Amino acid sequence: MLRTRDAERADTTPPSERSRKADGETMKITVSKDALSAELSKLQGIVGSKSTMPILQNALIEADPELGLVLQATDLDVSLRCRVLPEDVRVDQPGRIAVRAKDLHDAVKNLKSLEVTLEREDQNWIRLTAGSVRARFVGMNPDEFPQISLGEDPAFTQLPTDRFVRLIDLTQFSISTDSARPHLGGAFLHRTEQGNVGMVSTDGHRLSTASFDVAPGTELPDALKDGVIVPRKGLNELRKAMDLTHPELSVAIQNSTIIFEQSATRLSVRLIEGNYPSWRQVIPEEHEDRKAVIARDTLADRVRFVSMFSSNRTRNIRLSLEDGTCTIAAQDPDKGECEEALPVAYSGPPVRAGFNYQYILDVLSVVRSSEVSIEITDTLRPAVMHELEPREGESSLFIVMPMRI
């Protein structure tokens, strides 16, 4: 549209400023403080303060009248895109900024005002105005932000959010932290022999496996037939970014990446390359007559107490089963010794074995049923633990390797 002479005279914006606006080098928005804070919080675990690339400490924020406010963050392995909806933001000037995600989040969440105005200024400075607050942030050129792939028209499968998150909760604690074994640094997501969704993790000292039944007609991603390894960080960020009360979670696998989507939030996670170990071979044959049933809270409480007498280095305790009794014992030359007997439902032969008490507590912290079963065969074979009353359509099993007594 041609500008009239009167319009030119009425426009008092300096020519340099008009040029910046035309090039998209400015941005001005007014946004709900709570809505912006909620979306910024999703990015905090992804941006890294130790990154050798300063731009990766920044969030890319783009203002669009139709989309609202689009926020992105990445560490090049895990990438997240989320959005403040148009009804919560007024876009006075479309554009984009790159600003340190942690600094902006810390400031916004502590504001008293209900609305926040952000404006991009010269040299990539970002001005924040909220009530009586006036602040400026050092920004970066948004053109430096890496082009991240969040999937190109992925074929999503709809899965129940609560059940998928439950898989994570039941397995995440036993993911290895050993950088020398990167293939164990994630959970093995796969399709079970029954056609359901399963997840496994192990650090070589323990193993956790869980699964849930899928609805009839659900077509799982083909890649789950052989299974994929989802890194620990990706699972952590999934829990933080998604609405755990939302009924469905969309999942797709594309180009060595697993993609999760829910409403206006999409998380992309680069899968770990390599072959997961043959974990099924680790699971021993179970024997009903060797299973002891005990109250979960009672076992956790007494293991925690007796463990005060265990070695700080080995964390070793001894569990003994005999004639309806479970005896927990620990000793250390520098601390002393302790033993406590608990009533259990057990009628098998006398057995005992040593275990890292933290591994036992980790299992007890994630199961929900009031009672658990534990099977101990001897001092050399792993113990098998079960949630006694799992939710219908879900199953789990936990293996804890023994220690020398």
Side-chain angles (χ1 to χ4, degrees), residues 39 42 81-83 85 156 158 161 241-243 246-250 260-267:
E39 299 309 311
K42 298 177 181 180
R81 182 182 68 206
C82 53
R83 186 159 58 97
L85 299 179
F156 282 113
Q158 307 301 318
T161 302
M242 301 301 173
D243 180 359
H246 194 281
E248 288 189 335
L249 175 69
S250 300
F260 302 98
E261 185 173 77
Q262 191 184 79
S263 301
T265 300
R266 180 177 288 192
L267 179 72

Side-chain angles (χ1 to χ4, degrees), residues 159 163-165 167-168 171 175 183 186-192 196-201 208-212 214 220-231 235 238 249-253 257-260 269 271-272 276 279-280:
L159 296 175
R163 291 189 185 272
F164 194 89
V165 171
L167 285 190
I168 299 174
T171 57
I175 294 175
H183 60 292
F188 183 64
L189 180 64
H190 64 104
R191 184 168 63 202
T192 68
N196 297 317
V197 178
M199 188 174 283
V200 182
S201 69
S208 307
T209 176
S211 65
F212 68 83
V214 298
L220 298 177
D222 291 339
L224 293 188
K225 180 179 181 181
D226 295 323
V228 296
I229 308 174
V230 186
L235 298 174
L238 171 63
L249 175 69
S250 300
V251 182
I253 299 174
T257 300
I258 187 166
I259 304 161
F260 302 98
V269 181
L271 298 169
I272 296 176
Y276 207 73
W279 56 274
R280 290 185 177 87

Side-chain angles (χ1 to χ4, degrees), residues 341-353:
L342 307 176
V344 297
Y346 181 74
S347 57
V351 291
R352 67 174 186 169

